[in-house]
Amino acid sequence: MNTSWDQVNEQILACRNCPLCEHIHNKVPGQGDPEAALMFIGEGPGQDEDLQGLAFVGRAGQLLTKMIAAMGMTRDEVFICNIVKCRPPMNRVPEPEEAAACMPYLRQQFALVRPKVVVLLGATAARYILGDHIRITRDRGTFVYKKGVWFMPTYHPSALLRDESKKKDAWHDLQQVMAKLKEISDEGSPAETV
Ligand code: URA
């Protein structure tokens, strides 16, 4: 069945599949270009996101906005969302059952956006998407190609705020993402005729 954006958002807003929704102010479905070639997936909403109902709008989000700008894009040109759409209490890592309960929404978002490249922000996003074997310090910076999509695990912006020395590696990862997007769009454009 093809689910529309309105249907996914309605389902998220009505969702009571796990206990995370019991203490939140707002669901945070995610936002951006519904046909973006590039998607960012974080862990889960924090306090600012919970209050505004928007993904990545707090301190980490402001850094993410700068990172996207450094890539030559705006937030409106990409799609930004999280593994879980409700803020975990005290910003703890979402439990496997919570991530599993929310995964159908991410799958539906994926099916609608059909991104070409996905940046997995931090260990939680990388492990829930690519598997438990992922170690972010070891595996960041290396693309994983899965079902026609290029996944790039990198540091979460919160990790970059805690430890600025990681920024150089994160920028290296994002440069690879830019190169991959260019490569894909060059492949897609018609051959030049002289
Ligand atoms: N951290 C996340 O993982 N997601 C957000 O939306 C905000 C902070």
Side-chain angles (χ1 to χ4, degrees), residues 58-72:
R59 266 188 84 218
Q62 284 158 25
L63 179 54
L64 179 62
T65 306
K66 283 189 197 162
M67 289 157 63
I68 294 169
M71 296 171 79

Side-chain angles (χ1 to χ4, degrees), residues 122-192:
T124 303
R127 295 177 81 176
Y128 279 129
I129 299 289
L130 299 177
D132 259 352
H133 61 283
I134 295 287
R135 298 287 172 272
I136 201 73
T137 44
R138 182 193 60 195
D139 297 323
R140 57 139 282 278
T142 304
F143 275 114
V144 176
Y145 187 66
K146 226 176 121 176
K147 294 186 190 164
V149 181
W150 294 94
F151 292 89
M152 171 58 79
T154 190
Y155 291 122
H156 192 285
S158 301
L160 305 179
L161 289 170
R162 283 194 299 272
D163 178 1
E164 293 227 337
S165 71
K166 290 190 163 83
K167 282 188 176 173
K168 191 165 157 271
D169 284 342
W171 179 233
H172 177 259
D173 303 346
L174 295 181
Q175 282 177 306
Q176 287 197 71
V177 167
M178 288 149 63
K180 183 63 74 185
L181 284 167
K182 182 168 182 324
E183 188 184 308
I184 292 167
S185 83
D186 287 352
E187 277 167 11
S189 53
E192 270 183 40

